[in-house]
Amino acid sequence: TRKDYKSFFETSKVRQVMSTPPVCVRPHARIGEAAGVMLAYKVHRLPVVDEAGSLLGIVSRTDIFQPLLRKKESIMGSERRLWINGSFPDNSFVDLDGFDSLASVEPDFFSFEETPMAPWQVKYLYDGDCNLCMTLVNMLKRRDDEGKICFVNLRDPDYDPSLNEGITFEQGMDTIHVIREDGSILTGPVALQELYDEANLGWIQRIMQIPVFS
């Protein structure tokens, strides 16, 4: 009951609930070894002691894993930039920076999920704030069953010209741009025709070229 808990906290001594002997590490222990000890003994902190057993400090899980989490976030940000620009990484990894004794660490702790992507044939640079552009994007996505078209939003904060044949935001906004897999660049009506062809909609452009419709 609540009364029992209150009595327990008021009358019980720390020595009644403490873990003994304490699980400690020496200051020269490797980070990976400390991480393995924490996981093996299911503790969140380790006293750091010298040869005489005197307390030098305390190392916590946060001390050990926070740098890796920041590194993981950095890598994820870099990978997002690649994905947003259609440069899909072949694989994902985290450099453990000396974490060479993690035999007892869960193998999935540092891993990323990887989703294989089909190779694209053309890359369409579009304006995500343009209603007409988005209508075209949605139509192409519905017809592009084989994933031949890679869609790159010029307005995404991670848009990178260096990953798109040097095409700047301003150039992309000036006219429609399509990049072929071989790096060649198409603009204007030729680019639009390429998109239609890849989405099996080439007949639309060809009909529009008939004198009666033009």
Side-chain angles (χ1 to χ4, degrees):
T1 65
R2 185 173 181 179
K3 185 177 180 180
D4 292 332
Y5 278 116
K6 183 178 180 181
S7 176
F8 173 79
F9 284 116
E10 289 178 347
T11 61
S12 299
K13 306 298 183 182
V14 172
R15 64 173 177 266
Q16 296 176 239
V17 295
M18 70 180 183
S19 300
T20 183
V23 182
C24 305
V25 292
R26 297 285 180 84
H28 59 264
R30 295 179 179 177
I31 295 295
E33 293 170 340
V37 170
M38 285 183 180
L39 293 172
Y41 285 89
K42 298 181 179 180
V43 295
H44 292 268
R45 294 171 179 81
L46 291 174
V48 182
V49 299
D50 61 17
E51 294 182 358
S54 300
L55 182 66
L56 300 176
I58 294 177
V59 62
S60 68
R61 285 196 179 190
T62 301
D63 296 331
I64 290 177
F65 294 121
Q66 191 63 40
L68 284 183
L69 294 177
R70 286 196 296 267
K71 180 178 286 289
K72 181 175 180 179
E73 291 171 359
S74 175
I75 291 175
M76 289 177 68
S78 298
E79 289 204 346
R80 182 185 188 278
R81 183 176 65 87
L82 293 176
W83 282 81
I84 287 299
N85 292 278
S87 300
F88 309 119
D90 295 329
N91 49 53
S92 304
F93 69 95
V94 174
D95 178 5
L96 298 183
D97 273 348
F99 277 60
D100 54 353
S101 301
L102 294 178
S104 58
V105 179
E106 293 92 326
D108 293 336
F109 185 86
F110 302 112
S111 63
F112 295 110
E113 292 183 1
E114 183 180 340
T115 304
M117 295 291 296
W120 49 266
Q121 301 297 315
V122 297
K123 187 189 295 187
Y124 171 32
L125 310 187
Y126 69 93
D127 178 2
D129 287 349
C130 168
N131 291 332
L132 183 61
C133 297
M134 291 309 301
T135 298
L136 176 60
V137 167
N138 293 329
M139 179 182 68
L140 292 172
K141 285 184 175 180
R142 286 195 300 269
R143 296 300 300 266
D144 183 26
D145 297 331
E146 299 179 12
K148 293 181 179 180
I149 304 174
C150 172
F151 299 88
V152 176
N153 185 357
L154 286 158
R155 292 191 182 273
D156 191 285
D158 283 328
Y159 174 76
D160 189 345
S162 67
L163 297 175
N164 293 286
E165 303 301 326
I167 300 172
T168 65
F169 172 82
E170 292 75 14
Q171 290 172 331
M173 289 294 164
D174 185 55
T175 186
I176 181 173
H177 281 72
V178 166
I179 303 173
R180 285 175 171 164
E181 189 179 16
D182 62 7
S184 57
I185 300 172
L186 304 177
T187 60
V190 178
L192 188 61
Q193 178 65 55
E194 185 79 5
L195 291 174
Y196 283 145
D197 288 342
E198 294 295 345
N200 297 315
L201 291 169
W203 56 271
I204 294 179
Q205 190 77 351
R206 285 189 285 273
I207 286 179
M208 296 304 296
Q209 293 173 353
I210 299 176
V212 70
F213 292 104
S214 59

